[in-house]
């Protein structure tokens, strides 16, 4: 029987319709019907054909004999995306499964116009009603179809948008460090999104960042839960996407096609782990944390346990660099500030213009003065850089103790407004140059958030009001908990409500809690007052001590009023001197001294 001629995917002639290919199904997923999500509309697949062994010449003992030898080299099989409508696959539907090898006659080749590419090929295979599909019992290509990219070969293209992901990419590496996992509660669809981020290192000790979302993040956490003490962890990301961010390669998963392997018993991972572990010493390996630091933190823990809480009025009293949480409402925009700035494409920090002298292009004597962009961060070290416009929104945030200027940057603005950065940049840079805020920003006004801000050396050195927002949330549980911090600093009513006029000796009710908030272990003057003075005695008191208690009670209530008045000042205004308050307190004490009947 004559053997069917097999055409390799790279050799397909678009002018020929009658040909046969032999492939392995490397990846398979389905798309649901438009009117019935439970019904399959079509199968999407990634095919891989046979690996090709070629021979290249290699010179051995070239100084003596110049013998020419041929050395075998195995080339990776070609991958190509394919699809078939469910109605056209009823005869061979049972064969459509991952790792299945197939012989396919008369497929049709179309253009692959998908914006997100799962393979590098520009063609796409269509298994139509004239296509014949049969199982092949032999071996085609490698079992998993990996095509690993060395980390140092991933180059940033300065002509491309660095914020856009490119695909596909396969990477393998040793987990050397993990960043604490997060739960993103402010997504556009209102659902919680989980993510984990860790650093992979290859055999040449180059490193990349990997961020996995939702189901892929759950896969990482499940492994961590089942192997809590495991430090030697190798991860493979297949059919991922990547981009450059802050000068580093960042790999992430695609929606459904990406495949993640963690310490799996497959040759590629076993061999990589053996080689990597053999390279590292005991001292080096002790610095690798693996996945142990990625235990997920709830949003409540992140905002309420990891950082200290501060009122806006107390910010000016902080004397050390630290991150704090404040709770406030966006009341307006700081009109004197800009809305956009030119950022270094490498590190995202603000760039500055400078003038340099350059040889004349025509080769004549002398120099031309040229204005260039320069980044002054330690990392870029005053290099001439390429810049991109970035969003910056200065806001005025208020609570019951004062008002402060904060700055929202692009990442948080895009999340809050639910629009792309490109949309804001393209439509509003000209408007911002006129001193006006884009209309999209109006939706931020009068919204209350918990803000995570950093008190930096600039604030401390210059006593400056103005802080950058690193994160913010509207999580109801967090907001409710932080609201409790303000219960103690609300103004105390001077008169009781619903007091019976016939009662000649009304009972004075005094708050039990402190009348001001605290941050960490810092105490205010009111915190140091004797707690017993704020508690109504539960046992009868002698008449001789009544006047003393009334005197102490009234004096301390005056102190509460004064402290409340001070706490409601703006963080940018100077505090009142204590001397004036002491004189008023002494005068008040004299006026409030009760008369004792003999």
């Amino acid at each position: 029987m004559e053997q069917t001629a097999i055409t390799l995917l790279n050799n397909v002639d678009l002018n020929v319709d009658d040909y046969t290919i032999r492939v392995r199904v490397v990846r398979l997923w389905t798309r649901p019907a438009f009117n019935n999500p439970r019904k399959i509309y079509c199968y999407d697949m990634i095919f891989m054909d046979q690996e090709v062994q070629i021979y290249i010449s290699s010179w051995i003992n070239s100084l003596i004999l110049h013998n020419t030898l041929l050395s075998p080299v195995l080339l990776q099989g070609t991958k190509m995306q394919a699809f078939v409508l469910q109605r056209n696959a009823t005869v061979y539907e049972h064969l459509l499964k991952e790792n299945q090898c197939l012989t396919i006659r008369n497929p049709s080749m179309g253009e692959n116009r998908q914006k997100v590419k799962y393979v590098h090929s520009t063609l796409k295979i269509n298994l139509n009603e004239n296509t014949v599909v049969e199982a092949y019992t032999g071996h085609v290509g490698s079992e998993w179809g990996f095509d690993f990219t060395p980390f140092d070969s991933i180059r940033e293209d300065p002509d491309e948008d660095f914020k856009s992901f490119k695909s596909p990419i396969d990477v393998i590496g040793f987990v050397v460090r993990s960043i604490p996992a997060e739960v993103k509660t402010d997504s556009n669809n209102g659902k919680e999104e989980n993510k984990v981020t860790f650093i992979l290192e290859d055999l040449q000790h180059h490193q990349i960042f990997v961020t996995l979302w939702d189901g892929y993040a759950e896969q990482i956490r499940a492994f961590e839960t089942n192997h809590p003490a495991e430090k030697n962890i190798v991860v493979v990301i297949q059919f991922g996407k990547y981009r450059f961010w802050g000068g580093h390669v960042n790999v992430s998963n695609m929606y459904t096609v990406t495949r993640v392997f963690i310490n799996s018993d497959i040759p590629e991972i076993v061999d990589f782990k053996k080689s990597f572990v053999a390279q590292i010493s005991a001292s080096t390996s002790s610095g690798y944390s693996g996945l142990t630091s990625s235990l997920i933190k709830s949003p409540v823990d992140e905002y309420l346990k990891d950082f200290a809480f501060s009122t806006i009025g107390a910010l000016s009293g902080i004397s050390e660099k630290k991150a704090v949480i404040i709770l406030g409402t966006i009341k307006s925009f700081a009109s004197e500030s800009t809305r956009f700035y030119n950022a270094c494409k490498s590190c995202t920090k603000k760039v500055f213009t400078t003038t340099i002298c350059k040889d004349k292009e025509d080769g004549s004597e002398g120099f031309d003065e040229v204005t260039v962009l320069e980044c002054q961060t330690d990392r870029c070290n005053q290099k001439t850089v390429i810049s991109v416009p970035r969003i910056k929104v200065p806001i005025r945030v208020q609570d019951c103790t004062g008002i402060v200027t904060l700055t929202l940057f692009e990442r948080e603005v895009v999340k809050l407004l639910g629009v792309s950065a490109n949309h804001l940049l393209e439509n509003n840079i000209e408007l911002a140059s006129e001193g006006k805020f884009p209309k999209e920003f109006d939706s931020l006004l009068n919204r209350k958030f918990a803000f995570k801000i950093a008190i930096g050396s600039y604030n401390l050195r210059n006593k400056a009001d103005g802080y950058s927002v690193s994160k913010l949330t509207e999580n109801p549980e967090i907001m409710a908990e932080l609201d409790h911090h303000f219960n103690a600093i609300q103004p105390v009513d001077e008169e009781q409500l619903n007091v019976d006029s016939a009662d000649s000796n009304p009972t004075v009710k005094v708050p039990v809690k402190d009348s001001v908030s605290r941050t960490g272990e810092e105490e205010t003057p009111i915190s140091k007052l004797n707690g017993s003075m704020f508690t109504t005695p539960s046992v009868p008191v002698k008449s001789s001590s009544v006047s003393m208690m009334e005197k102490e009670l009234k004096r301390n209530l005056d102190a509460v009023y004064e402290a409340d008045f001070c706490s409601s000042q703006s963080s940018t205004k100077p505090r009142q001197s204590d001397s004036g308050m002491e004189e008023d307190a002494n005068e008040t004490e004299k006026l409030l001294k009760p008369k004792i009947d003999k």
Side-chain angles (χ1 to χ4, degrees):
M1 182 178 178
E2 185 178 353
Q3 192 172 14
T4 305
I6 303 298
T7 302
L8 295 176
L9 294 177
N10 265 340
N11 298 333
V12 170
D13 187 346
L14 298 182
N15 293 319
V16 177
D17 293 325
D18 185 11
Y19 60 93
T20 300
I21 60 175
R22 185 163 288 156
V23 296
R24 179 191 296 269
V25 181
V26 175
R27 199 76 172 102
L28 171 72
W29 66 101
T30 61
R31 275 184 279 169
F34 301 107
N35 56 356
N36 186 356
R38 297 183 179 181
K39 187 176 179 180
I40 295 175
Y41 169 70
C42 75
Y43 293 93
D44 281 308
M45 295 162 282
I46 295 176
F47 287 162
M48 179 180 183
D49 67 359
Q50 182 62 50
E51 296 170 325
V52 180
Q53 183 168 296
I54 64 172
Y55 291 85
I56 60 174
S57 62
S58 176
W59 291 94
I60 306 297
N61 298 326
S62 58
L63 295 177
I64 303 175
L65 301 176
H66 291 279
N67 290 331
T68 301
L69 302 178
L70 295 178
S71 301
V73 175
L74 198 61
L75 295 183
Q76 180 77 20
T78 302
K79 293 193 187 76
M80 194 172 289
Q81 193 171 337
F83 77 98
V84 59
L85 300 178
Q86 195 274 340
R87 58 183 172 83
N88 292 335
T90 53
V91 177
Y92 54 84
E93 193 171 7
H94 64 286
L95 298 177
L96 300 181
K97 53 189 177 183
E98 289 185 351
N99 216 25
Q100 174 71 53
C101 296
L102 303 171
T103 300
I104 301 173
R105 293 198 298 272
N106 300 331
S108 179
M109 287 289 180
E111 290 181 298
N112 185 0
R113 293 186 176 181
Q114 287 185 212
K115 184 176 181 180
V116 178
K117 297 288 194 299
Y118 305 138
V119 295
H120 295 290
S121 175
T122 59
L123 298 177
K124 192 172 184 178
I125 300 172
N126 177 14
L127 308 183
N128 56 35
E129 59 272 11
N130 296 322
T131 304
V132 178
V133 178
E134 298 175 343
Y136 177 68
T137 56
H139 180 83
V140 178
S142 61
E143 182 176 3
W144 299 104
F146 296 132
D147 187 11
F148 295 125
T149 299
F151 295 175
D152 61 344
S153 69
I154 309 173
R155 303 295 181 189
E156 182 177 9
D157 187 344
D159 297 327
E160 292 188 10
D161 181 4
F162 76 103
K163 290 183 286 188
S164 300
F165 278 99
K166 291 180 283 188
S167 61
I169 189 172
D170 294 358
V171 293
I172 182 172
F174 193 88
V175 180
V176 296
R177 189 159 290 107
S178 183
I179 298 170
E182 301 179 26
V183 177
K184 180 183 174 185
T185 58
D186 50 1
S187 58
N188 292 336
N189 57 15
K191 297 181 180 179
E192 288 189 350
E193 296 181 349
N194 300 326
K195 76 170 184 178
V196 294
T197 301
F198 49 90
I199 300 175
L200 287 184
E201 185 172 299
D202 64 9
L203 294 177
Q204 286 71 45
H205 303 295
H206 300 290
Q207 294 183 349
I208 62 172
F209 286 84
V210 175
T211 298
L212 300 178
W213 294 86
D214 294 333
Y216 298 101
E218 293 291 345
Q219 184 180 347
I220 294 290
R221 285 202 295 273
F223 177 88
E224 182 182 5
T225 301
N226 296 327
H227 307 83
E230 180 63 61
K231 289 293 185 70
N232 296 330
I233 302 172
V234 176
V235 173
V236 168
I237 311 296
Q238 188 182 27
F239 304 119
K241 58 183 180 180
Y242 70 98
R243 66 173 175 174
F244 281 83
W245 186 263
H248 298 283
V249 181
N250 289 260
V251 174
S252 185
N253 61 276
M254 289 192 273
Y255 184 57
T256 55
V257 180
T258 298
R259 190 156 49 186
V260 176
F261 300 84
I262 313 168
N263 271 12
S264 301
D265 188 20
I266 57 179
E268 289 84 353
I269 288 182
V270 172
D271 293 343
F272 184 93
K273 180 188 286 189
K274 188 181 299 182
S275 299
F276 193 94
V277 172
Q279 290 183 10
I280 59 178
S281 62
S283 59
T284 305
S285 63
S286 63
Y288 294 159
S289 63
L291 292 171
T292 55
S293 64
S294 67
L295 291 175
I296 191 166
K297 298 180 181 179
S298 70
V300 176
D301 288 345
E302 184 180 4
Y303 279 85
L304 303 181
K305 294 183 179 180
D306 291 354
F307 297 92
F309 172 78
S310 174
T311 61
I312 290 176
L315 290 175
S316 59
I318 297 176
S319 59
E320 60 178 340
K321 293 193 293 185
K322 63 191 300 186
V324 298
I325 302 294
I326 64 172
L327 184 67
T329 303
I330 300 176
K331 305 301 292 186
S332 63
F333 302 110
S335 57
E336 71 277 6
S337 300
T338 57
R339 290 61 153 176
F340 304 93
Y341 69 102
N342 284 327
C344 173
K345 193 173 181 180
S346 176
C347 69
T348 74
K349 300 298 182 182
K350 185 177 180 180
V351 298
F352 302 89
T353 57
T354 186
T355 302
I356 62 174
C357 293
K358 195 175 181 181
D359 292 334
K360 291 188 175 183
E361 294 183 359
D362 58 7
S364 59
E365 294 184 359
F367 301 93
D368 287 330
E369 290 188 349
V370 180
T371 300
V372 297
L373 296 174
E374 189 176 81
C375 183
Q376 300 179 356
T377 60
D378 292 338
R379 177 178 157 192
C380 295
N381 196 21
Q382 296 186 338
K383 291 181 180 178
T384 302
V385 296
I386 299 173
S387 72
V388 291
R390 300 294 298 273
I391 300 169
K392 181 181 72 171
V393 182
I395 56 177
R396 297 284 283 169
V397 175
Q398 186 180 52
D399 69 5
C400 65
T401 69
I403 191 165
V404 68
T405 300
L406 304 181
T407 301
L408 291 175
F409 288 95
E410 184 169 295
R411 184 181 68 172
E412 300 302 332
V413 172
V414 169
K415 290 179 184 177
L416 291 175
L417 300 183
V419 297
S420 68
N422 288 336
H423 170 81
L424 291 173
L425 291 168
E426 291 172 1
N427 298 339
N428 296 305
I429 288 183
E430 183 176 346
L431 185 65
S433 65
E434 300 173 359
K436 300 177 182 178
F437 274 86
K439 61 182 180 179
E440 291 91 342
F441 291 174
D442 291 342
S443 63
L444 300 178
L445 296 176
N446 298 315
R447 289 173 66 179
K448 189 175 182 180
F449 297 93
F451 298 90
K452 185 186 296 184
I453 65 174
I455 312 295
S457 56
Y458 176 83
N459 303 108
L460 300 176
R461 185 173 57 254
N462 300 284
K463 303 296 182 183
D465 166 18
Y467 309 92
S468 298
V469 176
S470 60
K471 208 166 187 179
L472 75 166
T473 183
E474 290 179 292
N475 183 297
E477 187 176 359
I478 295 173
M479 306 285 280
E481 185 67 27
L482 292 178
D483 267 328
H484 292 323
H485 288 271
F486 290 101
N487 290 345
I489 59 175
Q490 300 302 317
V492 180
D493 291 334
E494 295 184 5
E495 300 290 341
Q496 285 187 295
L497 298 177
N498 302 324
V499 177
D500 189 350
S501 60
D503 188 355
S504 58
N505 295 303
T507 303
V508 178
K509 296 182 179 179
V510 184
V512 176
K513 293 184 178 180
D514 253 353
S515 61
V516 294
S517 64
R518 305 181 187 181
T519 302
E521 298 179 355
E522 297 175 0
E523 295 184 344
T524 62
I526 301 303
S527 305
K528 298 176 182 178
L529 293 175
N530 189 342
S532 62
M533 295 299 178
F534 290 85
T535 307
T536 303
S538 58
V539 295
V541 294
K542 296 179 181 180
S543 59
S544 61
S545 64
V546 170
S547 60
M548 183 180 296
M549 288 193 61
E550 290 181 353
K551 174 182 176 181
E552 294 296 330
L553 180 60
K554 291 179 180 179
R555 185 174 66 185
N556 284 292
L557 281 174
D558 287 338
V560 173
Y561 302 149
E562 291 168 4
D564 183 71
F565 175 75
C566 292
S567 69
S568 64
Q569 296 182 67
S570 170
S571 62
T572 61
K573 295 180 181 178
R575 300 176 179 177
Q576 292 184 354
S577 63
D578 294 337
S579 60
M581 295 182 185
E582 290 175 358
E583 292 176 2
D584 292 342
N586 292 333
E587 184 65 26
T588 304
E589 181 180 352
K590 294 176 182 179
L591 294 175
L592 293 177
K593 184 175 181 180
K595 180 180 180 181
I596 302 176
D597 295 332
K598 295 184 179 178

